[in-house]
Amino acid sequence: MPSTLTEKSSDDVEDCTWIPNEDEKIRCMRISRMLDEGLAYRQPYESEMERGLLLYDGKMKDYDTGEMRVVSPLGRAFVETKTSEEVKSMNGYTFRPGKKASDEWMVGIVTDVDEHVKRVTQQETKKVQAIRMKNIVGTSILRVGYRKIMRTVKDPTKVDDDNNIIEWQERKVPVYDDVFTDIVSPFNFLVDSLAKTMDDAMWCAHYYEMHIEQFKEMYCDNKLYKNTEHVHGGVSGRFSFDGKFANGAHRSMTPYRGRVMIVEVWHKVRYEYVVLANGVEIYAGPLPDNHGELPFVSYHNLPCFSRKTGRDIVARSDDGSDTTSKEGVVADEVFWTIGDCIPRSEEHTSEL
């Protein structure tokens, strides 16, 4: 789950030093509102999602006192059983990378995956994990894409009599260069509030933490990214409603001390990809996958909840009295759902 701000380490700074230009300011204010909207949209489901995860591990939380107690993990037994049944009956989820040079980021949701991709992505294992998450919290999200990670090696060019290397030549080689699929925690994901499925979503956001030193290795030496010198571990910033960038963070996207919260925002309509590091914009440009689709897939429980039932008036007489009526059920179809191991009580569904 996302972390919260704690005491800062001695190497942290107190103030955000980033002064955005006008384009960055307008864009980040818009994204800040989008993230607030996504958090508000997800919030009614968070407590039951968390409860489902705890029950799966055999734990229960008293939300009045904050105390945890161990319980029989019946949720785990139920979810595991249902998972095995669904794995046997569901069609395979497969994909392969694009073959053309211009499609290096493209990952099509297709069939006929070759054995190499199956081996690299371990898709069958990921599929079981995805369905298990769906059963526990109601929604499972997978990110698919293409990843290339380089590292520096040092080839010896001269050695002494004892075979000690005294001269060498550096070169960069790939340590990973292939398609990937990751399971994304629903607590680390925000989505368009009008979406019912991933296909409906016009935008989404994925965020995760890393240590400041890891951030420097991955982003600071890459010319693709900007403003990295203004990113400090444990110090997050955001735009206020008056358009000022200052210390502060979104409700559940605040980094621990010495760490950086990366927020990646995809916008399908704008064909836009924005990366924020502790609130500082370090990239804004086209989507990394040139086919323009959001690089996520989702498994859902039935996303339909009865919000209320009641008697709808169909007709009235001239004096205003009811003449005919019928029972009506008002339902709403949404992206976030409740896990199978959580009883869907009438009281809970009426609150949603």
Side-chain angles (χ1 to χ4, degrees):
M1 293 179 59
S3 51
T4 55
L5 188 64
T6 58
E7 60 174 313
K8 298 180 176 64
S9 59
S10 59
D11 58 341
D12 288 332
V13 297
E14 292 298 329
D15 297 314
C16 297
T17 59
W18 181 44
I19 302 177
N21 59 39
E22 194 63 25
D23 289 341
E24 292 172 335
K25 177 180 177 180
I26 294 174
R27 181 168 47 248
C28 289
M29 286 180 65
R30 170 170 53 81
I31 289 176
S32 180
R33 290 192 294 268
M34 287 170 53
L35 296 179
D36 281 339
E37 175 192 342
L39 285 167
Y41 175 44
R42 192 187 70 187
Q43 186 174 11
Y45 302 93
E46 290 176 354
S47 61
E48 296 297 343
M49 290 160 58
E50 181 184 11
R51 181 169 176 244
L53 289 170
L54 290 175
L55 285 176
Y56 180 77
D57 288 333
K59 300 176 183 177
M60 183 174 290
K61 181 178 181 180
D62 187 330
Y63 288 94
D64 293 329
T65 64
E67 295 181 354
M68 302 288 295
R69 62 188 182 91
V70 178
V71 297
S72 177
L74 297 178
R76 176 183 298 183
F78 177 80
V79 170
E80 295 285 1
T81 302
K82 195 169 191 302
T83 298
S84 63
E85 294 174 354
E86 292 200 21
V87 168
K88 294 177 181 178
S89 61
M90 286 184 64
N91 293 328
Y93 160 64
T94 57
F95 57 90
R96 62 175 173 81
K99 298 299 183 183
K100 298 181 181 179
S102 61
D103 294 334
E104 62 177 321
W105 272 100
M106 182 176 180
V107 177
I109 307 303
V110 294
T111 55
D112 299 327
V113 179
D114 57 42
E115 292 300 322
H116 172 68
V117 175
K118 286 184 178 180
R119 177 183 59 81
V120 172
T121 63
Q122 297 180 348
Q123 70 175 69
E124 294 300 326
T125 302
K126 292 292 178 70
K127 177 181 174 182
V128 173
Q129 294 173 354
I131 299 175
R132 181 178 294 121
M133 180 63 74
K134 176 188 78 82
N135 291 333
I136 296 171
V137 300
T139 307
S140 179
I141 303 156
L142 297 92
R143 179 180 174 184
V144 293
Y146 182 89
R147 178 182 293 144
K148 186 174 184 178
I149 302 175
M150 305 292 290
R151 72 182 179 98
T152 301
V153 298
K154 298 180 179 180
D155 296 327
T157 58
K158 186 177 181 179
V159 297
D160 59 17
D161 295 337
D162 296 326
N163 207 32
N164 296 317
I165 301 173
I166 56 178
E167 291 183 10
W168 63 86
Q169 182 178 5
E170 293 185 353
R171 62 186 179 94
K172 290 189 175 182
V173 299
V175 293
Y176 187 93
D177 186 6
D178 217 320
V179 296
F180 73 93
T181 176
D182 286 336
I183 307 293
V184 177
S185 168
F187 289 100
N188 291 352
F189 187 80
L190 301 177
V191 71
D192 178 8
S193 61
L194 299 178
K196 299 178 178 65
T197 65
M198 196 65 72
D199 291 336
D200 300 329
M202 295 296 103
W203 68 268
C204 63
H206 174 216
Y207 53 96
Y208 48 90
E209 267 195 350
M210 63 177 61
H211 192 272
I212 183 63
E213 295 302 325
Q214 183 183 4
F215 170 81
K216 292 177 181 178
E217 292 177 354
M218 293 184 62
Y219 293 95
C220 292
D221 294 332
N222 192 329
K223 295 181 180 180
L224 182 66
Y225 301 101
K226 59 181 181 178
N227 300 322
T228 54
E229 69 276 11
H230 301 299
V231 179
H232 306 286
V235 179
S236 186
R238 63 165 297 176
F239 282 91
S240 58
F241 289 106
D242 58 3
K244 295 181 180 179
F245 184 79
N247 283 1
H250 295 275
R251 172 171 55 88
S252 59
M253 291 185 286
T254 309
Y256 275 122
R257 58 179 182 176
R259 301 183 71 83
V260 178
M261 181 70 75
I262 304 295
V263 184
E264 300 179 349
V265 182
W266 288 266
H267 203 298
K268 186 188 297 185
V269 177
R270 294 177 178 271
Y271 203 71
E272 179 180 69
Y273 172 55
V274 179
V275 182
L276 307 177
N278 281 358
V280 177
E281 181 184 281
I282 62 174
Y283 178 84
L287 291 168
D289 49 344
N290 61 6
H291 53 73
E293 297 297 322
L294 299 177
F296 290 90
V297 179
S298 59
Y299 286 129
H300 287 75
N301 283 336
L302 182 63
C304 187
F305 293 90
S306 174
R307 296 177 67 95
K308 63 179 181 179
T309 59
R311 187 171 294 275
D312 293 338
I313 305 302
V314 178
R316 286 190 174 94
S317 63
D318 294 338
D319 61 2
S321 60
D322 300 341
T323 56
T324 59
S325 62
K326 67 176 182 179
E327 290 292 332
V329 178
V330 179
D332 193 13
E333 193 172 348
V334 295
F335 183 88
W336 299 108
T337 66
I338 304 300
D340 287 334
C341 63
I342 301 298
R344 299 181 182 179
S345 64
E346 182 178 349
E347 179 183 358
H348 178 75
T349 54
S350 64
E351 292 177 355
L352 296 178

